[in-house]
Amino acid sequence: MRKFLICGNWKMHHNVEATRQTITDLAAQTKAFQHNVEVAVAPVATVLWVASSAARQTHVQLAAQNVHHAAKGAFTGEWSVSHLQELSVGMAIVGHSERRQYFGETDENVGKKVRALLDAHMTPIACVGETLSEREENRIVEVITRQMKPILQQVTPNEVSRLVIAYEPVWAIGTGKTATPLQAQEVHAFIRELLEKDFGSRAAQVRLLYGGSAKPDNAAELLCEPDIDGLLVGGASLDAASFASMVESASRTSKNSK
Ligand code: PGA
């Protein structure tokens, strides 16, 4: 029922040429899996124009790594949903922990960005996740509930199926420490419960991605979990072959062949 989504978050990597080449290679290497897996990449904002031309007429979708919630105005260094739409960018990551940590993005900002994206008929990939100390203090439920609240408040029942949530435990991002499938599933199930409280059976339509040191070696076991519907991948998405192997794992997962 929920089509897997594997999204690469290229952060501040890949210049014009690497972007063009990696998208071209990725499109070729994942073509055979497009029937049951959606593939997306989030390049650096300045190369979205070249990404857009490389991805045209392929199944590879584009995501921005951030977006401003306002339609236009005096917001130096930002861009709006309409700037993304001009480049055929259909998705945007919002609330990534690096944006929260280094650029002061708040839970409320994330909610507003989700609203702007839904208004533009784009797909928000809203990130949530606890730090190591929050996990050690048993505060996962509290943190995830706090981060999810302003997101859920912005979504109507008719829109909820377009929402994508990425659970990214901060301690697992770029550290090589992946959450175990069980640890990830526990939090995903909790996020699903939060969605159910507000949206009942429609919660089953929402895709929940896992992110944090996901790589070819662990993709299959994560994707087998009932509430893990895809991956948000940083480091292991920079290389087309590594990315494609995770897409292949998703395509072959038994959940997908049911
Ligand atoms: P990582 O990054 O896969 O390199 O841990 C994931 C992310 O930050 O989205």
Side-chain angles (χ1 to χ4, degrees), residues 13-217:
H13 299 287
H14 278 354
N15 62 10
V16 165
E17 199 36 51
T19 298
R20 197 194 327 261
Q21 192 60 54
T22 310
I23 290 177
T24 305
D25 293 347
L26 186 65
Q29 292 172 26
T30 59
K31 199 166 189 263
F33 313 117
Q34 59 176 308
H35 61 287
N36 61 2
V37 185
E38 279 182 42
V39 179
V41 292
V44 171
T46 56
V47 301
L48 278 171
W49 61 273
V50 83
S52 176
S53 93
R56 193 170 302 135
Q57 285 167 10
T58 77
H59 60 284
V60 176
Q61 302 180 57
L62 295 179
Q65 297 176 17
N66 181 32
V67 68
H68 196 277
H69 63 82
K72 59 181 173 184
F75 299 107
T76 302
E78 295 286 318
W79 54 88
S80 70
V81 290
S82 65
H83 292 110
L84 298 178
Q85 285 178 309
E86 277 187 319
L87 298 174
S88 308
V89 176
M91 304 179 169
I93 299 170
V94 293
H96 189 281
S97 62
E98 289 151 15
R99 302 267 346 144
R100 293 175 188 261
Q101 188 180 346
Y102 305 128
F103 303 99
E105 191 150 322
T106 63
D107 297 335
E108 280 62 39
N109 290 153
V110 178
K112 286 183 187 167
K113 290 174 184 207
V114 166
R115 186 63 255 152
L117 288 160
L118 290 172
D119 282 340
H121 301 282
M122 293 174 64
T123 302
I125 303 178
C127 304
V128 297
E130 81 288 355
T131 63
L132 185 58
S133 60
E134 288 164 343
R135 174 167 280 262
E136 285 170 352
E137 290 159 16
N138 277 325
R139 292 174 50 214
I140 300 175
V141 164
E142 171 206 320
V143 171
I144 302 290
T145 306
R146 190 200 74 222
Q147 293 173 333
M148 285 294 294
K149 196 169 168 202
I151 298 171
L152 297 176
Q153 280 171 345
Q154 295 293 342
V155 183
T156 67
N158 285 337
E159 294 167 333
V160 74
S161 63
R162 293 200 279 128
L163 180 66
V164 176
I165 302 290
Y167 168 58
E168 298 206 308
V170 179
W171 49 271
I173 296 177
T175 59
K177 281 187 206 149
T178 323
T180 64
L182 191 67
Q183 283 174 323
Q185 167 58 28
E186 267 172 11
V187 182
H188 282 230
F190 175 65
I191 295 171
R192 186 87 63 204
E193 258 176 58
L194 288 177
L195 287 158
E196 271 162 10
K197 273 191 206 142
D198 285 4
F199 301 104
S201 60
R202 292 184 201 228
Q205 299 166 351
V206 181
R207 288 182 292 185
L208 307 182
L209 313 186
Y210 168 80
S213 299
K215 45 184 182 274
D217 287 355

